[in-house]
Amino acid sequence: MVKLTMIARITDGLPLAEGLDDGRDLKDADFYKQQAKLLFKNLSKGQHESSRLSIETGPYYFHYIIESRVCYLTMCDRSYPKKLAFQYLEDLKNEFERVNGSQIETAARPYAFIKFDTFIQKTRKLYLDTRTQRNLAKLNDELCEVHQIMTRNVQEVLGVGEKLDQVSQLSSRLTSDTRMYADKAKDLNRQALIRKYAPVAIVMGIVLMLFWIKNKIW
């Protein structure tokens, strides 16, 4: 059964639409939605090896397809046929591109196409029962093979992003430390110059003051 459905722009990870009724009967729905958003974040950094991928997460699978810089993602039970899951995503993709294709790049706020939920829910109902004649026909369709679609573990996929984030944070920290040490070095040089030339300046000041006093007296 389809549990969650989310659509996001992968250039920046902006969520565009979501199945509003999805996850109501799902334990830890917020946890899995957060995982999906982390996946979108990783995808926005270019961390995807395939335009179609299945990802294991607990008792479920995330399935996604990427087309025209948009990611269409669903989460299903492990027992749900992989072929139907990707057919479901294809149906969403075709309709989303038809209705909203010209506005995707200019969308500036999250869930700008939330009204697409109506189509998501209608399509989801068509895929609930895997034994209907319609879905059995899709399962037997040899043109829709999914054997070559890779399956990864969610920790493995998210771990790649976490490691890159750690490297980025370390790089930023090193840059900050370098600037701090450079500023300290400038301060030390300034203090050294002051210590070196301050006595000379004091002596010169005293001499000039004595010379001025002498001229005043005479």
Side-chain angles (χ1 to χ4, degrees):
M1 179 183 287
V2 173
K3 296 293 187 180
L4 293 175
T5 305
M6 301 178 76
I7 302 173
R9 188 171 60 196
I10 67 167
T11 50
D12 54 7
L14 183 75
L16 301 174
E18 180 179 321
L20 297 180
D21 288 337
D22 293 359
R24 290 189 176 181
D25 60 342
L26 175 65
K27 185 180 179 181
D28 297 327
D30 290 339
F31 169 76
Y32 291 110
K33 286 185 179 181
Q34 186 60 33
Q35 276 195 338
K37 290 176 181 178
L38 288 174
L39 287 171
F40 292 145
K41 179 183 175 183
N42 282 3
L43 291 172
S44 71
K45 298 175 183 177
Q47 298 166 20
H48 55 92
E49 56 196 88
S50 175
S51 61
R52 282 163 170 71
L53 190 67
S54 295
I55 302 171
E56 296 176 286
T57 176
Y60 308 106
Y61 274 109
F62 283 123
H63 304 287
Y64 74 67
I65 63 175
I66 297 173
E67 192 78 34
S68 301
R69 291 179 289 190
V70 176
C71 179
Y72 304 85
L73 178 144
T74 187
M75 189 180 78
C76 307
D77 293 313
R78 279 179 173 264
S79 59
Y80 192 79
K82 191 174 183 179
K83 183 180 285 190
L84 283 185
F86 280 96
Q87 280 290 299
Y88 168 66
L89 292 174
E90 285 287 345
D91 287 354
L92 295 184
K93 174 187 75 69
N94 293 336
E95 182 66 9
F96 192 78
E97 287 182 345
R98 186 186 71 80
V99 176
N100 304 307
S102 62
Q103 306 171 59
I104 293 171
E105 290 298 324
T106 56
R109 57 185 175 82
Y111 303 106
F113 309 107
I114 199 64
K115 291 182 180 179
F116 192 71
D117 165 67
T118 302
F119 184 82
I120 291 176
Q121 297 306 327
K122 183 177 71 173
T123 308
R124 178 174 176 267
K125 289 177 182 178
L126 295 176
Y127 283 88
L128 285 179
D129 189 350
T130 61
R131 298 166 296 178
T132 63
Q133 190 64 36
R134 174 185 179 278
N135 289 335
L136 288 173
K138 287 182 176 293
L139 286 171
N140 293 324
D141 187 354
E142 294 182 359
L143 296 177
C144 303
E145 290 302 328
V146 293
H147 299 303
Q148 295 182 352
I149 296 177
M150 293 185 295
T151 299
R152 302 280 298 277
N153 180 273
V154 70
Q155 294 303 325
E156 182 183 2
V157 174
L158 294 180
V160 172
E162 289 172 359
K163 288 175 183 176
L164 289 178
D165 284 344
Q166 288 173 3
V167 171
S168 177
Q169 290 172 6
L170 179 59
S171 177
S172 299
R173 196 178 305 121
L174 288 172
T175 301
S176 177
D177 289 346
T178 300
R179 289 175 181 169
M180 182 179 67
Y181 291 135
D183 290 341
K184 285 185 177 180
K186 288 180 182 178
D187 289 338
L188 289 173
N189 287 334
R190 194 179 299 112
Q191 290 174 15
L193 288 173
I194 291 173
R195 284 196 297 269
K196 181 177 180 180
Y197 293 107
V200 176
I202 292 171
V203 171
M204 290 293 294
I206 293 173
V207 170
L208 289 173
M209 185 177 290
L210 290 174
F211 183 76
W212 180 78
I213 294 172
K214 181 180 178 183
N215 287 337
K216 282 289 185 182
I217 294 175
W218 292 100

